[in-house]
Amino acid sequence: MRVVLVRHTSVAVPKGTCYGWTDVPVSDSFIEEAALAQTALRRYEPFDAVFSSPLTRARLLASYCGHQNPVLDERLKELNMGEWEMKAYDEISDPYVEKWYNDFLHLPTPGGESFADQYMRVADFLDELRTKDFSNVAVFAHGGVLACAGIYAGLFAPEAAFDNLVPYGGIEVVDI
């Protein structure tokens, strides 16, 4: 099964802000970015099914690309940043932040989750998707979700996940 994953467009929050599960607005450049994503996505259509994170930034892009009613799935949310949501990374005074920076793959954010936790929920979604009778699926989600899907599909190792981060409005294609 081919899974075409689309990362949401850029958001209207200051660079360096933790905004994983927060439902933040898209940036003023949404229309331009979404049009580019829509054009790139056309080469993969039609889709047997379309899924989306329930967060607005993913759903808006799905709708712009002609998919007004994607199946919403909580497992497609970005990393839960917990107590750090909407704080600038540079302003987090929690001494734990250094430990997390050094082992974010395994350590959860306070009140949130680790990248390993996020991977497990994305892998659960993909495992379930594999049981369906689809051949071509679109998923509108977040950078962390696309990184997890890349690991799941064997495109790169977990340690290289963020070296392979898809840009805003970008596409990653995996076969599962």
Side-chain angles (χ1 to χ4, degrees), residues 23-162:
D23 208 4
V24 299
V26 295
S27 70
D28 291 340
S29 60
F30 173 76
I31 297 296
E32 295 83 11
E33 293 178 53
L36 291 172
Q38 181 185 46
T39 298
L41 194 59
R42 283 192 184 124
R43 71 182 282 213
Y44 301 104
E45 294 175 333
F47 297 108
D48 302 321
V50 177
F51 297 86
S52 178
S53 160
L55 296 175
T56 301
R57 56 193 183 266
R59 288 187 298 111
L60 279 175
L61 184 56
S63 181
Y64 185 94
C65 291
H67 307 287
Q68 287 77 19
N69 297 302
V71 176
L72 304 181
D73 196 304
E74 293 286 325
R75 295 171 293 182
L76 298 174
K77 284 179 154 180
E78 184 57 282
L79 183 73
N80 181 348
M81 297 303 292
E83 295 171 15
W84 297 344
E85 287 280 335
M86 296 311 295
K87 292 183 180 177
Y89 284 103
D90 293 347
E91 295 175 1
I92 296 172
S93 59
D94 186 341
Y96 177 78
V97 75
E98 287 303 318
K99 287 182 183 178
W100 182 78
Y101 282 149
N102 291 327
D103 194 14
F104 69 90
L105 290 175
H106 304 102
L107 296 178
T109 58
E113 66 183 343
S114 68
F115 185 74
D117 295 330
Q118 182 184 29
Y119 176 83
M120 292 305 297
R121 63 180 160 79
V122 173
D124 184 61
F125 169 82
L126 294 170
D127 286 344
E128 182 180 322
L129 192 59
R130 291 173 72 172
T131 69
K132 307 294 183 188
D133 190 27
F134 301 135
S135 60
N136 192 36
V137 173
V139 174
F140 292 84
H142 311 273
V145 172
L146 273 68
C148 291
I151 294 165
Y152 182 94
L155 299 181
F156 41 81
E159 298 77 22
F162 292 97

Side-chain angles (χ1 to χ4, degrees), residues 1-14:
M1 173 188 315
R2 178 170 69 183
V3 181
V4 181
L5 297 114
V6 187
R7 186 178 181 194
H8 64 79
T9 59
S10 60
V11 295
V13 298

